Protein backbone atom coordinates (compact mmCIF):
# COMPACT_ATOMS: atom_id res chain seq x y z
CA UNK A 1 0.00 0.00 0.00
CA UNK A 2 1.37 3.36 -1.00
CA UNK A 3 0.89 6.19 1.49
CA UNK A 4 -0.10 9.73 0.58
CA UNK A 5 3.34 10.89 1.68
CA UNK A 6 4.98 8.46 -0.76
CA UNK A 7 2.66 9.57 -3.56
CA UNK A 8 3.56 13.21 -2.93
CA UNK A 9 7.26 12.31 -2.88
CA UNK A 10 6.87 10.36 -6.13
CA UNK A 11 5.21 13.34 -7.79
CA UNK A 12 8.01 15.64 -6.65
CA UNK A 13 10.74 13.26 -7.82
CA UNK A 14 9.07 12.53 -11.14
CA UNK A 15 8.68 16.22 -11.83
CA UNK A 16 12.43 16.64 -11.30
CA UNK A 17 13.29 13.62 -13.47
CA UNK A 18 10.58 13.73 -16.15
CA UNK A 19 13.22 14.24 -18.87
CA UNK A 20 14.72 10.85 -17.97
CA UNK A 21 17.68 12.28 -16.05
CA UNK A 22 18.04 13.17 -12.41
CA UNK A 23 19.39 16.70 -11.92
CA UNK A 24 21.92 15.51 -9.33
CA UNK A 25 23.02 12.46 -7.36
CA UNK A 26 20.90 13.38 -4.32
CA UNK A 27 17.67 13.24 -6.33
CA UNK A 28 18.80 9.98 -7.95
CA UNK A 29 19.41 8.45 -4.51
CA UNK A 30 15.98 9.59 -3.28
CA UNK A 31 14.36 8.12 -6.39
CA UNK A 32 15.99 4.71 -5.88
CA UNK A 33 15.28 4.75 -2.13
CA UNK A 34 11.59 5.45 -2.66
CA UNK A 35 11.37 2.77 -5.35
CA UNK A 36 13.00 0.26 -3.00
CA UNK A 37 10.53 1.08 -0.21
CA UNK A 38 7.41 0.86 -2.35
CA UNK A 39 8.33 -2.15 -4.50
CA UNK A 40 10.39 -3.92 -1.79
CA UNK A 41 13.50 -4.22 -3.97
CA UNK A 42 17.17 -3.85 -3.15
CA UNK A 43 18.68 -1.60 -5.80
CA UNK A 44 21.80 0.16 -4.58
CA UNK A 45 21.07 3.87 -4.08
CA UNK A 46 24.36 4.81 -5.78
CA UNK A 47 23.81 2.65 -8.86
CA UNK A 48 24.74 3.97 -12.29
CA UNK A 49 23.17 1.06 -14.15
CA UNK A 50 20.99 2.64 -16.84
CA UNK A 51 18.58 -0.30 -16.88
CA UNK A 52 18.14 -0.22 -13.09
CA UNK A 53 17.57 3.52 -13.06
CA UNK A 54 15.09 3.29 -15.93
CA UNK A 55 13.12 0.68 -13.98
CA UNK A 56 13.10 2.90 -10.89
CA UNK A 57 11.98 5.92 -12.89
CA UNK A 58 9.21 3.92 -14.57
CA UNK A 59 7.96 2.69 -11.18
CA UNK A 60 7.99 6.20 -9.70
CA UNK A 61 6.18 7.49 -12.79
CA UNK A 62 3.40 4.92 -12.24
CA UNK A 63 2.98 6.06 -8.65
CA UNK A 64 3.05 9.74 -9.58
CA UNK A 65 0.43 9.27 -12.28
CA UNK A 66 -1.81 7.10 -10.11
CA UNK A 67 -1.33 3.88 -12.06
CA UNK A 68 0.28 1.90 -9.21
CA UNK A 69 -1.89 -0.83 -7.71
Amino acid sequence: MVTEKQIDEAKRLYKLCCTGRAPNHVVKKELVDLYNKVYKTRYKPNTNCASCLATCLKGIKEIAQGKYK
Side-chain angles (χ1 to χ4, degrees), residues 10-58:
K11 287 179 182 179
R12 181 185 74 82
L13 290 170
Y14 183 67
K15 188 174 181 180
L16 292 171
C17 303
C18 64
T19 61
R21 293 189 67 134
N24 57 51
H25 69 282
V26 175
V27 173
K28 181 176 77 169
K29 181 184 179 308
E30 291 174 353
L31 182 85
V32 175
D33 284 340
L34 180 60
Y35 182 85
N36 283 338
K37 286 178 190 172
V38 172
Y39 290 93
K40 296 176 179 47
T41 58
R42 300 174 112 188
Y43 288 110
K44 292 183 180 180
N46 61 346
T47 186
N48 284 322
C49 171
S51 177
C52 300
L53 292 171
T55 300
C56 292
L57 182 59
K58 183 179 176 186

Side-chain angles (χ1 to χ4, degrees), residues 1-8 10 34 38-39 63-64 68-69:
M1 186 83 187
V2 182
T3 66
E4 284 297 320
K5 184 177 178 183
Q6 289 173 328
I7 292 170
D8 292 340
L34 180 60
V38 172
Y39 290 93
I63 296 167
Y68 177 79
K69 295 180 182 178

